[in-house]
Amino acid sequence: MDALETRELRYFVAVAEELHFGRAAERLGMAQPPLSRAIQQLERRLGVRLLKRDRRGVALTGAGEMLLHEGRAALDATTAAARRTRRAGGADSPGGPRNRLVLAVKAGASHELLHKLLDAYAAEPDAADIEVLPSGTCEQEGMLRDGRADVALMHAPFNSLAGFDSEELMTEGQIAVLPAGHPLTARRALSLADVSDIPGLPLARWSRHGTYPPGPGPEIHDQTQLAQLIALGRTVAVYPDSARAWLWAEHAAVPLTDAPPVVTHIAWPAHSSSPALAGLIRTATRL
């Protein structure tokens, strides 16, 4: 049989991510023996080994790696379908709320563009309500895939557009955001090398896909934390030029001469049939 149940996929993904049946069972809120039986039954149905089990622990086979990748995508798709259906359903109820779109944006980026987009779209007839959902670096991709967002402003080369439809909206340079009064703020321009090894001022580290890059800089969890640490002289950050909109008086911005340009795209799930989303995309491309 080729059909897989959502429950089976959820069980397998938990075991594959934890590589430990006890932790996976605890995560799923169930006992370990029925979880082990469910995985064994799944292997029999598919006719392949998904996991290697020995005294050293649990590891994925090649087939298991494939099912983990495909299973995550399938679970995201079913979750997304439920979330987007609930949002769209509100517009079908007499006296209910208007159709609603969730727009994921990286906190602090594309500030002026976002203002223009929201104002222009609100002036359109039959415009849907837009909920703006700020996110961290690279989080927009996951939000689109699992339905937390319907559309996103994404930034190449930092975000992957694979699997999405998109339109390019804006290209800009990058800046170093430093504490006001730091000696480097007297320079008209800096290079990436200049800001990568400033004594006492390490680069801030954002999580990407759940992992922080190595380095001595502080792990950043949100925009407010970053702004405060820069103002206190504890870190420096590299941002698109549009980030100037949120800088504090305690910050200073210096252009970077050799940083790659940042291209802002509006992106959405491929093959979307939402009329409200189509209207938002049309508005964005006219800006």
Side-chain angles (χ1 to χ4, degrees):
M1 294 178 63
D2 292 332
L4 292 173
E5 297 179 4
T6 302
R7 174 184 57 84
E8 292 177 310
L9 288 177
R10 190 171 69 252
Y11 287 179
F12 174 74
V13 168
V15 174
E17 290 180 344
E18 299 290 344
L19 292 178
H20 189 283
F21 277 88
R23 289 195 299 268
E26 183 177 356
R27 169 174 154 181
L28 292 165
M30 62 187 297
Q32 183 174 333
L35 176 59
S36 297
R37 289 194 297 271
I39 298 301
Q40 291 169 355
Q41 291 169 2
L42 178 59
E43 290 179 315
R44 285 196 296 269
R45 286 183 56 212
L46 293 175
V48 295
R49 287 186 64 198
L50 301 171
L51 301 168
K52 301 173 187 175
R53 308 166 180 83
D54 57 32
R55 286 175 296 180
R56 291 174 295 181
V58 178
L60 291 171
T61 65
E65 293 276 5
M66 177 61 72
L67 186 58
L68 175 59
H69 174 76
E70 298 289 344
R72 283 169 169 162
L75 291 174
D76 280 348
T78 56
T79 302
R83 285 171 169 162
R84 293 190 176 113
T85 298
R86 283 195 292 268
R87 283 199 291 272
D92 296 329
S93 305
R98 294 191 301 172
N99 197 1
R100 180 167 62 97
L101 293 173
V102 177
L103 171 62
V105 298
K106 179 182 172 183
S110 305
H111 187 76
E112 183 178 353
L113 175 65
L114 179 59
H115 263 293
K116 289 179 178 178
L117 174 58
L118 295 176
D119 289 345
Y121 181 66
E124 294 289 328
D126 300 320
D129 290 329
I130 302 293
E131 177 185 342
V132 177
L133 185 60
S135 68
T137 301
C138 295
E139 290 183 355
Q140 303 100 307
E141 301 161 38
M143 291 175 172
L144 282 183
R145 296 190 199 283
D146 68 13
R148 283 174 290 167
D150 301 296
V151 60
L153 293 184
M154 296 169 69
H155 309 278
F158 308 111
N159 296 128
S160 171
L161 297 168
F164 302 121
D165 288 337
S166 65
E167 290 283 349
E168 183 178 321
L169 301 182
M170 181 179 72
T171 300
E172 60 184 318
Q174 297 195 65
I175 56 174
V177 183
L178 301 116
H182 189 278
L184 286 178
T185 63
R187 302 261 295 271
R188 295 184 63 182
L190 297 169
S191 69
L192 287 171
D194 290 331
V195 299
S196 64
D197 191 23
I198 304 173
L201 203 63
L203 274 168
R205 293 183 294 141
W206 283 96
S207 171
R208 295 194 176 186
H209 308 294
T211 302
Y212 285 92
E219 295 182 353
I220 302 301
H221 307 289
D222 58 54
Q223 194 71 29
T224 301
Q225 178 202 15
L226 175 63
Q228 186 169 33
L229 288 175
I230 294 173
L232 291 171
R234 301 301 178 91
T235 191
V236 60
V238 174
Y239 254 85
D241 189 77
S242 56
R244 293 176 186 270
W246 59 261
L247 298 188
W248 298 359
E250 295 91 345
H251 300 154
V254 182
L256 291 168
T257 57
D258 58 349
V262 176
V263 183
T264 300
H265 298 255
I266 188 165
W268 63 97
H271 314 302
S272 172
S273 60
S274 165
L277 177 56
L280 179 64
I281 302 305
R282 285 195 299 269
T283 299
T285 56
R286 290 197 298 264
L287 294 178

